[in-house]
Amino acid sequence: MAKSKLIRDLISDDLSLVQAFDRLLVIAMELNDRNLIKWAKQEKYGYGKDDEVPDYRYIKLVPIGDYRHYSMGYITTYSNQVLPTIGFTPEMKEKIENFKNRDSIAQIIDAKKALDNGKLVGIVEKPEFFSLFEEGTNIKVIRATLALNPLELGKILESTKTRLIEVLTLLEKNFGNLDEVDIDTRDYSDNEISALKKAVEQVLKGQPICTTYYITGSKIKNSNIGKDNKNEKAISANISPTVNVNQEKKSFFASLFEKLFKRSN
């Protein structure tokens, strides 16, 4: 079981992802881990147009809209229906079927709540693109939205949470409780810190790691357990069953009297 309240609260949803990333950002800056700092900031503030988006943020958009259907001289109006994509090029279909969600984690959470409440959330298409949905059909599009799916957003949130827990657990195994820790990398060798950063990078990429211990003799700041924050070695002693009794020194006259007494006998 996790020692850190930070991890326990995150698992039980008592701590939001936004708050957890705030704490992770502080830890990442203390470690001077550029990759971890970058990931924490991107999740908190969103991914830029030139940023590489993690695979777990790829989702499928669904074209939803209102349109009029013309048939046999009759006009029928449909609302909030899935729109056809016959006029889409393969590249266009690829973009909506593997859409890279660049929103901040807070925006994704808000969008998920809105979708759960029955609202339509997504990218509203401009009228000049309506013809793409009308091609090869007998419809006239009135409104079109590349809609987000609550299940897809739920997958992003769960994947992000899982990866965050993996990173925090890895750090906890190496540094101990993360709630009150002031990590100073000067306490550890360059090789230890480098190995740990590589392990964190693997986790961020979704790659398995062989071991979770990279720091040896860790010292946790603000801790009073043991000297220099290390457990004291137990000292044991073997007691010999032989008991030596030290006799008191006899005075010179007592010794002389004893010798004379023995001679006379």
Side-chain angles (χ1 to χ4, degrees):
M1 185 64 184
K3 306 179 189 70
S4 306
K5 188 175 185 294
L6 167 65
I7 299 176
R8 296 198 306 271
D9 286 351
L10 180 59
I11 293 172
S12 61
D13 293 325
D14 291 330
L15 183 73
S16 71
L17 281 172
V18 176
Q19 292 172 317
F21 273 112
D22 282 337
R23 180 60 184 133
L24 178 65
L25 184 57
V26 173
I27 296 173
M29 292 178 71
E30 289 174 345
L31 282 174
N32 195 28
D33 189 332
R34 293 183 180 180
N35 288 327
L36 193 55
I37 292 172
K38 182 179 179 181
W39 182 65
K41 284 186 174 181
Q42 287 173 328
E43 289 293 336
K44 182 173 171 58
Y45 301 111
Y47 290 76
K49 64 178 182 178
D50 297 324
D51 291 337
E52 183 179 352
V53 178
D55 290 346
Y56 61 82
R57 276 178 165 262
Y58 283 46
I59 60 174
K60 183 178 181 179
L61 299 177
V62 181
I64 300 290
D66 304 337
Y67 62 88
R68 297 188 182 95
H69 181 256
Y70 297 87
S71 178
M72 305 293 290
Y74 292 93
I75 302 175
T76 307
T77 302
Y78 296 88
S79 299
N80 294 324
Q81 299 296 310
V82 177
L83 298 174
T85 57
I86 299 173
F88 279 45
T89 64
E91 291 77 14
M92 290 177 179
K93 289 183 179 180
E94 173 65 21
K95 284 184 178 181
I96 65 170
E97 290 178 358
N98 289 285
F99 176 73
K100 301 176 183 179
N101 192 308
R102 299 177 182 274
D103 292 339
S104 69
I105 202 69
Q107 289 173 318
I108 294 176
I109 292 171
D110 290 341
K112 175 71 165 52
K113 289 179 180 177
L115 290 168
D116 289 341
N117 290 327
K119 295 182 180 179
L120 184 66
V121 182
I123 302 170
V124 179
E125 289 284 11
K126 295 179 180 179
E128 52 262 38
F129 297 110
F130 288 176
S131 60
L132 293 172
F133 302 102
E134 298 169 351
E135 189 173 325
T137 68
N138 294 323
I139 67 172
K140 183 67 175 177
V141 175
I142 304 169
R143 178 181 61 83
T145 301
L146 297 178
L148 295 168
N149 186 310
L151 295 178
E152 296 283 307
L153 292 188
K155 290 179 182 178
I156 291 180
L157 294 175
E158 285 302 315
S159 296
T160 305
K161 179 178 177 180
T162 299
R163 197 151 298 187
L164 179 54
I165 290 172
E166 288 175 343
V167 169
L168 291 173
T169 301
L170 175 62
L171 293 174
E172 183 189 71
K173 282 184 178 294
N174 284 276
F175 293 111
N177 194 306
L178 300 175
D179 296 326
E180 300 292 338
V181 176
D182 176 20
I183 299 171
D184 188 344
T185 56
R186 291 175 297 181
D187 290 336
Y188 316 106
S189 71
D190 291 341
N191 289 337
E192 287 176 326
I193 295 299
S194 178
L196 180 59
K197 287 180 179 180
K198 286 181 181 179
V200 170
E201 186 178 3
Q202 282 184 267
V203 173
L204 295 182
K205 292 179 179 179
Q207 300 172 354
I209 55 177
C210 298
T211 180
T212 54
Y213 291 96
Y214 299 89
I215 300 295
T216 57
S218 298
K219 290 187 288 184
I220 302 174
K221 299 297 182 183
N222 299 328
S223 171
N224 58 0
I225 301 176
K227 184 179 180 181
D228 294 327
N229 301 317
K230 292 182 180 179
N231 292 330
E232 299 284 4
K233 289 184 178 180
I235 300 175
S236 60
N238 295 323
I239 301 176
S240 173
T242 304
V243 179
N244 295 321
V245 179
N246 293 325
Q247 297 180 346
E248 291 184 3
K249 254 187 180 181
K250 296 179 182 179
S251 67
F252 170 77
F253 294 103
S255 299
L256 179 61
F257 177 78
E258 184 176 337
K259 289 179 182 179
L260 291 173
F261 180 78
K262 283 182 179 180
R263 284 180 182 177
S264 62
N265 290 340

